[in-house]
Amino acid sequence: MTEMTDNTVNDSGEKQKPRIATAALCSCFGCHMSFLDIDERILQLVELVEFDRSPITDIKQVGPCDIGLIEGGVANAENVEVLRDFRRHCKILVAVGACAVNGGVPAMRNQFELKECLEEAYINGIGVENPQIPDDPEIPLLLDKVHPVHEVVKIDYFLPGCPPSADTLWTFLNEILAGEEITFPYSLIHYD
């Protein structure tokens, strides 16, 4: 891997590493788990990049980044805000996994009215005690439908899979950081 930055230097005159940020919207966090499944290769990655917002740093706000990896569909008002903030702060934004690419499992609710979904979960569901639909202002407002991320912001790359494998993520990061064309062997993109 080689650095993808434009030879920007920091205050001490050292070449800056590319910055990577990640976020999960409406998802199971499986794509992040795949990212962490690059296992010991993460040590190689840490030598080449700086992590901004990610499960590795626990930083809550995204700063200026070269690459943003976003997983999950857009299901509520907070998801929209996080996604738009990532687009503003990331030079390259990557939709990671089926939920980000096409809505995935969360979008299965799109065939029903939002009211029906809420009633099934909070009023009529099996084992529901004290049935009531939450109305706490701290809970982000649900959107009528779950959207893939490209319906809300411009996306530069799409990595399908549920989740994409650690090797797929590793290959993608290696090639983009090296400034190479993104290519995957068939073994990384077939879904039998």
Side-chain angles (χ1 to χ4, degrees), residues 23-96:
L25 304 176
C26 180
S27 67
C28 68
F29 215 71
C31 296
H32 273 81
M33 294 308 296
S34 245
F35 177 71
L36 295 174
D37 279 346
I38 65 174
D39 298 328
E40 69 277 354
R41 295 175 290 187
I42 205 151
L43 298 174
Q44 292 174 268
L45 190 58
V46 167
E47 292 295 319
L48 299 170
V49 302
E50 288 185 39
F51 285 97
D52 194 83
R53 178 181 168 164
S54 76
I56 295 169
T57 62
D58 200 33
I59 295 172
K60 303 300 182 207
Q61 301 297 318
V62 64
C65 287
D66 296 290
I67 302 169
L69 304 173
I70 195 99
E71 84 165 86
V74 183
N76 63 43
E78 181 181 47
N79 294 160
V80 172
E81 289 175 30
V82 169
L83 181 57
R84 287 182 175 158
D85 192 44
F86 256 67
R87 179 70 275 179
R88 279 192 298 276
H89 288 92
C90 298
K91 293 177 188 173
I92 296 170
L93 192 57
V94 184
V96 180

Side-chain angles (χ1 to χ4, degrees), residues 185-192:
Y186 178 74
S187 62
L188 293 183
I189 56 171
H190 77 93
Y191 302 101
D192 299 332

Side-chain angles (χ1 to χ4, degrees), residues 4-176:
M4 70 174 266
T5 58
D6 53 6
N7 295 326
T8 309
V9 293
N10 63 19
D11 293 337
S12 359
E14 299 170 340
K15 194 172 172 184
Q16 287 184 295
K17 296 177 181 179
R19 293 182 66 81
I20 293 179
T22 69
L25 304 176
C26 180
S27 67
C28 68
F29 215 71
C31 296
H32 273 81
M33 294 308 296
S34 245
F35 177 71
L36 295 174
D37 279 346
I38 65 174
D39 298 328
E40 69 277 354
R41 295 175 290 187
I42 205 151
L43 298 174
Q44 292 174 268
L45 190 58
V46 167
E47 292 295 319
L48 299 170
V49 302
E50 288 185 39
F51 285 97
D52 194 83
R53 178 181 168 164
S54 76
I56 295 169
T57 62
D58 200 33
I59 295 172
K60 303 300 182 207
Q61 301 297 318
V62 64
C65 287
D66 296 290
I67 302 169
L69 304 173
I70 195 99
E71 84 165 86
V74 183
N76 63 43
E78 181 181 47
N79 294 160
V80 172
E81 289 175 30
V82 169
L83 181 57
R84 287 182 175 158
D85 192 44
F86 256 67
R87 179 70 275 179
R88 279 192 298 276
H89 288 92
C90 298
K91 293 177 188 173
I92 296 170
L93 192 57
V94 184
V96 180
C99 296
V101 171
N102 61 27
V105 171
M108 290 174 69
R109 79 166 165 94
N110 289 354
Q111 62 187 319
F112 303 100
E113 294 297 320
L114 180 57
K115 182 177 187 256
E116 291 176 82
C117 294
L118 291 170
E119 287 174 351
E120 181 62 27
Y122 295 105
I123 306 293
N124 305 321
I126 296 172
V128 172
E129 294 182 23
N130 303 319
Q132 63 180 358
I133 296 173
D135 63 354
D136 188 320
E138 294 292 317
I139 299 173
L141 290 175
L142 289 175
L143 303 178
D144 286 338
K145 302 289 181 193
V146 176
H147 300 273
V149 294
H150 72 272
E151 289 183 1
V152 179
V153 299
K154 179 186 178 290
I155 297 296
D156 302 296
Y157 292 94
F158 296 84
L159 290 179
C162 188
S165 70
D167 289 335
T168 300
L169 288 160
W170 178 251
T171 298
F172 174 79
L173 289 170
N174 270 284
E175 291 178 351
I176 198 162

